[in-house]
Amino acid sequence: MALPNLNVVSGNEVSRFVLKQRPTPEDTIKFRKLKKSFVQILKNHKSGILKNIEKLIGSAWKEKDINIYLIPENSRMPSIARPLILKLRENQELNLLFLTHELIHRFFFYDSYLKNLKELSLEKSGDNAHAYVDYLTIEVMKKVLGKTKVDKLRKLEKEIVTTRNMELYDRLVGMYSKKYPLDKKPLIK
C-alpha cells in the first residue's frame, strides 16, 4: 500500500477548544508562521519518516490519509496519536520528532500489530510500550536527521516532557536497542 497522505489542519475550531485563553493577534500571526514553516519541513521529510517507520516496524501503513491537527504550544492539551494532535513549537525538527512519535503510536492501535508484540509485553499504554515507541522514534529520526541531531533533540525533549520519567525511558530504550536491534530485523516479521 502507498504511504499515507499527511494533511495539516489548524484553525479556530481547533484552537478555541484547546487553548487556555483566547489567542492575541500576535499569537495568531506567530502560529501561522510556525505552521507555514512546519508544513515546509514536513514536506521535505515526510517520505523519509513514513518509509522508515514502515521499514523498522516491518509492516505497511493501513491508513490512506492522516490528519495532523496543529495546536499552539500554550494549549492545555498534549500531543496525541488519535486524533493526531501536535503541539506546534518553534523548533521544527523537534516538531518532527514529536510527530514521528505520535505516528508510531498509531501502529499500536491495530490488533494485528499488537498480536505480534506480545513477547515485548506491550500494552496500548504504560511505560514499556511508551519507551518502545521512544526507541522506534529515535531509530527513525536517526535515519532522517542523523544521530548527532537526534541526540540534541532528545536533550530538548527531556526539558519539555514532564508527563513521563525520561530517565526510566532512557534505560528502557537502551535495553530495547540491545534486545531488539532494528538494523538486523524489523519489529514485525
Side-chain angles (χ1 to χ4, degrees):
M1 184 173 202
L3 296 175
N5 297 313
L6 297 179
N7 308 308
V8 176
V9 179
S10 66
N12 291 337
E13 68 283 352
V14 177
S15 298
R16 273 190 295 240
F17 175 69
V18 298
L19 285 175
K20 295 176 185 171
Q21 60 195 30
R22 189 179 182 104
T24 65
E26 294 82 16
D27 290 337
T28 302
I29 291 168
K30 180 181 176 184
F31 182 75
R32 286 181 183 152
K33 286 180 182 176
L34 288 174
K35 177 187 172 189
K36 184 176 179 182
S37 177
F38 175 73
V39 167
Q40 186 58 49
I41 197 167
L42 179 61
K43 181 179 174 186
N44 294 339
H45 293 290
K46 100 174 149 179
S47 178
I49 290 169
L50 295 171
K51 285 179 182 176
N52 280 297
I53 290 172
E54 268 188 347
K55 182 178 176 186
L56 291 179
I57 291 179
S59 186
W61 286 96
K62 302 279 188 236
E63 299 170 279
K64 185 179 175 185
D65 291 292
I66 300 172
N67 289 333
I68 304 167
Y69 297 93
L70 299 180
I71 59 174
E73 186 174 7
N74 66 342
S75 301
R76 61 179 165 222
M77 183 170 201
S79 295
I80 58 173
R82 282 199 181 260
L84 203 159
I85 296 175
L86 183 68
K87 229 179 222 197
L88 196 57
R89 294 171 168 83
E90 289 195 34
N91 185 321
Q92 296 298 353
E93 289 174 332
L94 190 59
N95 290 329
L96 288 179
L97 180 91
F98 289 135
L99 172 65
T100 301
H101 180 94
E102 300 307 337
L103 286 168
I104 291 169
H105 266 299
R106 292 178 80 89
F107 268 92
F108 294 92
F109 285 96
Y110 299 112
D111 289 344
S112 61
Y113 297 148
L114 291 172
K115 288 175 190 167
N116 290 315
L117 298 175
K118 284 184 180 170
E119 70 172 297
L120 294 173
S121 300
L122 293 180
E123 318 84 45
K124 289 185 182 180
S125 62
D127 286 336
N128 286 342
H130 218 111
Y132 202 83
V133 171
D134 276 1
Y135 168 49
L136 292 168
T137 301
I138 292 165
E139 293 303 309
V140 167
M141 292 308 291
K142 281 182 191 175
K143 293 179 181 307
V144 174
L145 297 176
K147 183 183 180 333
T148 304
K149 179 63 78 176
V150 172
D151 289 345
K152 289 178 185 174
L153 292 172
R154 286 287 289 172
K155 285 180 185 175
L156 282 174
E157 180 185 23
K158 288 175 189 177
E159 294 172 14
I160 293 169
V161 175
T162 59
T163 56
R164 301 184 306 223
N165 179 342
M166 295 302 283
E167 285 73 34
L168 169 64
Y169 282 34
D170 280 347
R171 285 194 304 275
L172 290 170
V173 165
M175 179 189 75
Y176 290 140
S177 67
K178 290 176 184 143
K179 192 170 181 180
Y180 306 101
L182 295 172
D183 56 337
K184 295 183 171 80
K185 178 184 160 202
L187 175 61
I188 299 172
K189 283 201 180 172

Coordinates of all heavy atoms in Angstrom, one line a residue, residues 1-5 46-48 50-51 54 61 63-64:
M1 N 0.8 -1.2 0.0 CA 0.0 0.0 0.0 C 0.9 1.2 0.0 O 2.0 1.3 0.5 CB -0.9 0.0 1.2 CG -1.9 1.1 1.3 SD -3.0 0.9 2.6 CE -4.3 2.0 2.1
A2 N 0.4 2.3 -0.6 CA 1.1 3.6 -0.6 C 1.2 4.2 0.7 O 0.5 3.9 1.7 CB 0.4 4.5 -1.6
L3 N 2.2 5.1 0.8 CA 2.3 5.9 2.1 C 1.1 6.8 2.3 O 0.5 7.3 1.3 CB 3.6 6.8 2.0 CG 4.9 6.0 1.9 CD1 6.0 7.0 1.8 CD2 5.1 5.2 3.2
P4 N 0.7 7.0 3.5 CA -0.5 7.9 3.7 C -0.2 9.3 3.4 O 1.0 9.8 3.5 CB -0.8 7.7 5.2 CG 0.5 7.2 5.8 CD 1.2 6.5 4.7
N5 N -1.2 10.0 3.1 CA -1.1 11.5 3.0 C -1.2 12.1 4.4 O -2.0 11.6 5.2 CB -2.3 12.1 2.2 CG -2.3 11.5 0.7 OD1 -1.3 11.6 0.1 ND2 -3.5 11.1 0.3
K46 N 8.7 14.1 5.2 CA 7.6 13.2 5.4 C 7.8 11.8 4.8 O 7.6 10.8 5.4 CB 6.2 13.8 5.0 CG 5.6 13.4 3.7 CD 4.3 14.0 3.6 CE 4.1 14.2 2.1 NZ 2.8 14.8 1.8
S47 N 8.3 11.7 3.6 CA 8.5 10.5 2.9 C 9.6 9.6 3.7 O 9.4 8.4 4.0 CB 9.0 10.7 1.5 OG 9.3 9.5 0.9
G48 N 10.7 10.3 4.1 CA 11.7 9.6 4.9 C 11.1 9.1 6.2 O 11.4 7.9 6.6
L50 N 7.9 8.4 7.0 CA 6.9 7.3 6.8 C 7.5 6.0 6.3 O 7.2 5.0 6.8 CB 5.8 7.8 5.9 CG 4.9 9.0 6.3 CD1 4.1 9.5 5.2 CD2 4.1 8.6 7.5
K51 N 8.5 6.1 5.4 CA 9.1 4.9 4.9 C 9.9 4.2 6.0 O 10.0 3.0 6.1 CB 10.0 5.3 3.7 CG 9.3 5.6 2.4 CD 10.2 5.9 1.3 CE 9.4 6.3 0.0 NZ 10.3 6.7 -1.0
E54 N 7.7 2.4 8.4 CA 7.3 1.1 7.8 C 8.4 0.1 7.8 O 8.2 -1.1 8.2 CB 7.0 1.3 6.3 CG 5.6 1.6 6.0 CD 5.3 1.6 4.5 OE1 6.2 1.6 3.7 OE2 4.1 1.6 4.1
W61 N 1.6 0.8 6.0 CA 0.6 1.7 6.6 C -0.8 1.2 6.2 O -1.0 0.8 5.0 CB 0.8 3.1 6.1 CG 1.9 3.8 6.7 CD1 3.2 3.9 6.2 CD2 1.9 4.5 8.0 NE1 4.0 4.6 7.1 CE2 3.2 5.0 8.2 CE3 1.0 4.7 8.9 CZ2 3.6 5.7 9.3 CZ3 1.3 5.4 10.1 CH2 2.6 5.9 10.3
E63 N -3.5 3.2 6.8 CA -4.3 4.4 6.6 C -3.9 5.1 5.3 O -2.7 5.1 4.9 CB -4.0 5.4 7.7 CG -4.5 4.8 9.1 CD -4.0 5.7 10.2 OE1 -2.8 5.6 10.6 OE2 -4.8 6.5 10.7
K64 N -4.9 5.6 4.6 CA -4.7 6.4 3.4 C -4.4 7.8 3.6 O -3.6 8.5 3.0 CB -5.9 6.2 2.5 CG -5.7 6.8 1.1 CD -6.9 6.7 0.3 CE -6.8 7.4 -1.1 NZ -7.9 7.4 -1.9

